[in-house]
Amino acid sequence: MARLAKSGYATGFRLMVLLGVVANLALAIPAVFVPNAVIALLGGAPVAETVWPAFAGWLLILLSVFYLPAALDPGRYRIIAVLTVLSRFAGVVFFTLLYPQFLLLTLFDLFFGVTQGALLLALGRR
């Protein structure tokens, strides 16, 4: 029975990480090509030089790729799974402290951080 529960938590964690990757890409890919449109959608003011928000989108794409081993096998890639969760909370801190006007991004990372973290904690219990 414990094995079945552990398997369910692992499946849930995998799905939440993959859903987070898809959500990241849905935000990041447009940010690379039309950064001011994404900034406006999130409630920010357009910028004159778009290279930095576009590059931030590119970095989010790369970060999402690094989440994939945790999604494939959170037991084997435990440290990556933990870092996946911690990076969500780092996003929460970043946006809360430095850019509170982007509440949607804070809530985005908070949702994935809490759900992934809870599933990973449940998975780690014996």
Side-chain angles (χ1 to χ4, degrees):
M1 186 64 117
R3 183 171 169 83
L4 183 59
K6 195 170 185 174
S7 172
Y9 293 133
T11 300
F13 180 79
R14 286 185 192 104
L15 290 175
M16 285 308 299
V17 172
L18 290 173
L19 181 62
V21 166
V22 169
N24 281 356
L25 295 177
L27 179 67
I29 291 171
V32 170
F33 297 103
V34 285
N36 273 332
V38 174
I39 291 169
L41 181 69
L42 295 171
V47 296
E49 184 55 66
T50 60
V51 66
W52 294 114
F55 188 60
W58 183 247
L59 291 176
L60 183 56
I61 292 167
L62 295 176
L63 179 63
S64 298
V65 169
F66 284 102
Y67 291 164
L68 294 178
L72 297 175
D73 191 344
R76 182 174 180 192
Y77 300 106
R78 183 79 173 169
I79 189 68
I80 297 172
V82 170
L83 291 172
T84 295
V85 173
L86 291 177
S87 70
R88 291 295 185 177
F89 288 111
V92 170
V93 171
F94 177 82
F95 287 110
T96 300
L97 295 179
L98 299 176
Y99 297 96
Q101 69 270 28
F102 291 105
L103 179 62
L104 187 59
L105 294 177
T106 302
L107 295 174
F108 183 88
D109 275 339
L110 184 63
F111 170 75
F112 285 108
V114 169
T115 56
Q116 292 171 6
L119 288 164
L120 190 60
L121 281 173
L123 179 59
R125 294 184 181 183
R126 298 205 187 307

